[in-house]
Amino acid sequence: MTKYIFVTGGVVSSLGKGIIAASLGRLFRSRDYSVIIQKFDPYINIDPGTMSPFQHGEVFVTDDGAETDLDLGHYERFTDTSFGQVNNVTSGRIYQEVINKERRGDYLGATVQVIPHITNEIKSKIVAATKQFKPDFHIIEIGGTIGDIESLPFIEAIRQFKSEIGIGNAISVHCTLLPYLPTSGELKTKPSQHSVNVLRSYGIQPEILVCRTSKPIPKTEREKLALFCSVPKDAVIACRDMKSIYEVPLALEAQGMCSVVIKMLGMEERTPKLDSWESLVSKIKNPKKSIKVAIAGKYTKLSDAYISVVESLKHAGYADAASVEIKWINSEECVDYSNCKSLLSDVEAVVVPGGFGVRGIEGKLNVIRYARENNLPFLGLCLGMQCAVIEYARNVAGLKGANSKEFDENPVYPVIDLMLEQKNVKGYGGTMRLGAYECHLKKGSVAAKAYGKEVISERHRHRYEVNNEYIDKISEAGLVFSGMSPDGMLAEVVELPNLDWFVACQFHPEFKSRPDKPHPLFKGLIDAALKRK
Ligand code: GLN
């Protein structure tokens, strides 16, 4: 039978609940238990797909094409498991489904209410995810902070779920903050006590407390927390600020958190196999070399907007015991080509990531031209690949004025065009080409060598594509179209094999990189960057 762990947060937002949930997931996995993690987000959007990256950070795409919260990326990276649509549910989706049922007459004339109809729908989403994956442990993270009006139906649903499933089958982990007052030299426990009181007022007594803190928790404070919050002393866990998020599972393990959870849930304790994770962390903490990689995009003020790209670069570095420093370049600063030299002269590689809209495009084209002309290792992702094709068309293939129809309604040479299947699409949510699709790589190409195979599957999120009418002309000029969809209709990878590393792809490899299994395209970029250094 599946055991449930509900993770809530209090005192402040941005406590890193997602990392804590993901770390606990890692600890189950290292005990050979299967685990899934599900995120409930209290906002009204059906999914984060329509939200600006400035608002919400990256949109993480799953194999089954769900546009999800960036925490799903942490879940997948820490547990090395691929999740899907059932793993991320918003209030918007819950209400939409309840309202659809009401319109269909499913409620047989009843008055439709938050309790029981919304809470039942929430509980059915928990059960649906359990049914799909049949895990040993099912972790459910509730977004937001305890006390928020928005998250109340979720909290009420977990209260019901916990009592229905019975003692010993579900526990709550509450994450809080212990602020440090330098004047008195103390970690303060009162906000955590209050936060637990709020949770209790909703009928939920947490079994475990995870406290974010910048200092170790002294024995007296730990005892105070245990006493006032009614949790066992060994269930007060400290989560210190750490250099790398990948240290968190080890820090939680050192305090016995997973064993406490396993005991509370009546499961069999097993010896964790953490050797490879420990050696990963030791490589992260003791890098032998360092390199600097530029990311030239438009959401550079918020690094969460490209979190999977940043993580993938770091993962590729770990494999070579190299630390990767990111240099953020606002592509608008490169609209003047002469700025590229000064901005890119101190980096060993450059990534042009995905994005939407015309702002900053000319700057991205200049960055790519600079990388191509100076043999600076380059990786283009989605929009980054479309820009690589436009740049090559304009500056090498003689197609002056080439552009994407996304940026110019009527370009002289529309080398990037809306995909056929997108032409009649109306509305924005969930309507792109989304999720995993196969791609066939050209034998002997840089991409095929990097992957070590010719048939790959990668995740997508786009509306536009290379216009096939121009492929011959552009490839005659030297750009190799080394990856195509199985039917040969959609260009998926382009490369310049004569340069050290110049590869761009229509898909998003960053969603499949793992800390201990770097993605081949990022590995290729970082290897080339290290060689250059
Ligand atoms: N805007 C481009 C498209 O829709 C690229 C999308 C992306 O980078 N994810 O095709």
Side-chain angles (χ1 to χ4, degrees):
M1 188 199 158
T2 298
K3 301 285 181 168
Y4 295 87
I5 297 124
F6 294 99
V7 179
T8 52
V11 182
V12 291
S13 59
S14 307
L15 277 173
K17 287 196 302 294
I19 305 284
I20 292 164
S23 298
L24 185 59
R26 172 77 264 161
L27 297 177
F28 287 132
R29 293 278 286 120
S30 64
R31 285 167 167 81
D32 278 332
Y33 278 121
S34 59
V35 62
I36 62 165
I37 313 181
Q38 191 176 26
K39 172 108 193 249
F40 284 124
D41 277 311
Y43 51 73
I44 307 296
N45 304 58
I46 303 293
D47 59 42
T50 54
M51 280 191 233
S52 157
F54 286 121
Q55 286 265 321
H56 192 264
E58 165 188 281
V59 174
F60 186 82
V61 181
T62 55
D63 278 333
D64 66 359
E67 298 178 289
T68 71
D69 184 76
L70 59 82
D71 272 328
L72 270 277
H74 293 310
Y75 301 165
E76 287 204 352
R77 290 187 280 269
F78 277 73
T79 63
D80 192 17
T81 311
S82 293
F83 297 127
Q85 182 65 73
V86 290
N87 295 80
N88 192 194
V89 180
T90 66
S91 289
R93 191 173 291 276
I94 297 284
Y95 274 86
Q96 187 186 47
E97 284 175 24
V98 168
I99 291 166
N100 288 345
K101 285 183 186 167
E102 185 273 333
R103 292 287 86 177
R104 274 203 312 265
D106 292 6
Y107 296 118
L108 306 173
T111 307
V112 179
Q113 294 178 300
V114 173
I115 306 171
H117 301 98
I118 294 294
T119 48
N120 282 351
E121 193 67 33
I122 295 170
K123 288 188 285 179
S124 80
K125 295 290 180 215
I126 300 176
V127 175
T130 309
K131 275 208 181 121
Q132 183 175 328
F133 290 90
K134 300 178 186 63
D136 298 317
F137 292 96
H138 183 161
I139 303 174
I140 295 125
E141 181 195 344
I142 313 290
T145 309
I146 208 71
D148 292 351
I149 291 174
E150 285 193 318
S151 55
L152 279 177
F154 291 104
I155 305 296
E156 168 59 15
I158 63 176
R159 184 195 66 76
Q160 295 174 13
F161 193 93
K162 270 182 93 177
S163 69
E164 284 162 4
I165 198 154
I167 293 168
N169 293 319
I171 59 163
S172 291
V173 174
H174 191 54
C175 307
T176 68
L177 174 76
L178 300 183
Y180 177 72
L181 287 190
T183 42
S184 62
E186 284 176 316
L187 280 176
K188 304 307 286 184
T189 64
K190 196 72 82 187
S192 298
Q193 296 176 37
H194 281 303
S195 176
V196 168
N197 279 344
V198 176
L199 195 56
R200 280 197 196 123
S201 73
Y202 301 142
I204 295 176
Q205 165 64 48
E207 278 77 11
I208 302 213
L209 218 53
V210 177
C211 304
R212 282 297 306 275
T213 158
S214 53
K215 302 253 181 300
I217 310 177
K219 196 162 161 269
T220 47
E221 267 65 31
R222 202 177 276 269
E223 283 168 356
K224 210 195 256 177
L225 282 164
L227 180 68
F228 284 98
C229 303
S230 313
V231 298
K233 265 181 268 174
D234 62 355
V236 178
I237 309 291
C239 189
R240 300 275 305 274
D241 304 337
M242 263 162 266
K243 213 176 126 205
S244 161
I245 53 174
Y246 300 113
E247 288 179 64
V248 177
L250 300 181
L252 300 182
E253 180 63 25
Q255 297 172 78
M257 177 178 175
C258 193
S259 305
V260 173
V261 172
I262 284 176
K263 202 163 140 207
M264 285 176 171
L265 291 170
M267 295 287 275
E268 170 207 6
E269 173 61 314
R270 298 175 182 169
T271 314
K273 292 188 216 100
L274 280 162
D275 300 0
S276 63
W277 200 267
E278 276 161 4
S279 77
L280 168 78
V281 168
S282 135
K283 271 194 229 161
I284 297 174
K285 285 167 86 175
N286 309 295
K288 303 264 175 296
K289 43 209 158 178
S290 74
I291 46 166
K292 208 191 258 187
V293 177
I295 297 180
K298 89 174 168 185
Y299 312 111
T300 47
K301 283 215 178 71
L302 184 83
S303 60
D304 267 3
Y306 303 110
I307 186 158
S308 291
V309 177
V310 173
E311 289 305 310
S312 302
L313 289 168
K314 289 188 191 166
H315 300 165
Y318 301 154
D320 290 311
S323 73
V324 176
E325 187 195 333
I326 306 293
K327 175 170 181 174
W328 294 103
I329 295 183
N330 177 352
S331 53
E332 282 176 295
E333 284 174 35
C334 301
V335 172
D336 180 351
Y337 184 68
S338 61
N339 286 345
C340 289
K341 190 163 190 253
S342 59
L343 285 169
L344 291 165
S345 59
D346 63 338
V347 301
E348 279 82 38
V350 61
V351 175
V352 176
F356 297 84
V358 68
R359 187 159 64 81
I361 287 299
E362 293 301 319
K364 289 179 189 173
L365 297 174
N366 281 338
V367 166
I368 296 169
R369 178 181 152 205
Y370 181 89
R372 180 177 57 74
E373 289 178 349
N374 295 279
N375 196 11
L376 178 66
F378 161 75
L379 180 62
L381 308 171
C382 202
L383 179 71
M385 161 171 153
Q386 297 172 359
C387 287
V389 171
I390 298 169
E391 191 279 321
Y392 207 82
R394 281 189 194 175
N395 300 327
V396 185
L399 301 172
K400 292 248 167 324
N403 212 339
S404 165
K405 282 217 183 164
E406 184 178 359
F407 316 131
D408 179 350
E409 255 173 49
N410 203 5
V412 203
Y413 302 110
V415 293
I416 307 291
D417 197 357
L418 201 59
M419 274 179 279
L420 210 54
E421 70 210 48
Q422 286 285 328
K423 299 231 155 127
N424 294 318
V425 168
K426 299 208 168 50
Y428 283 109
T431 54
M432 284 185 247
R433 179 174 182 245
L434 286 167
Y437 286 92
E438 250 186 30
C439 158
H440 291 186
L441 299 173
K442 209 177 238 166
K443 207 178 161 133
S445 62
V446 173
K449 280 191 211 144
Y451 278 94
K453 54 184 177 187
E454 281 150 36
V455 179
I456 57 165
S457 169
E458 291 283 3
R459 300 181 191 174
H460 297 71
R461 184 173 187 247
H462 63 126
R463 293 184 202 283
Y464 291 82
E465 245 303 328
V466 175
N467 182 344
N468 290 342
E469 282 176 33
Y470 294 95
I471 289 190
D472 285 348
K473 178 105 181 131
I474 297 169
S475 41
E476 272 159 32
L479 188 68
V480 177
F481 287 78
S482 56
M484 298 295 288
S485 58
D487 62 4
M489 293 307 283
L490 300 175
E492 293 272 15
V493 186
V494 298
E495 59 185 63
L496 288 172
N498 294 333
L499 297 184
D500 288 346
W501 186 268
F502 189 103
V503 177
C505 49
Q506 185 58 73
F507 46 79
H508 291 270
E510 68 270 24
F511 296 141
K512 288 183 63 168
S513 173
R514 307 282 198 241
D516 47 354
K517 281 181 217 149
H519 190 284
L521 297 186
F522 284 90
K523 182 84 172 55
L525 178 82
I526 294 298
D527 286 349
L530 283 166
K531 230 190 253 159
R532 181 182 176 90
K533 195 168 190 186

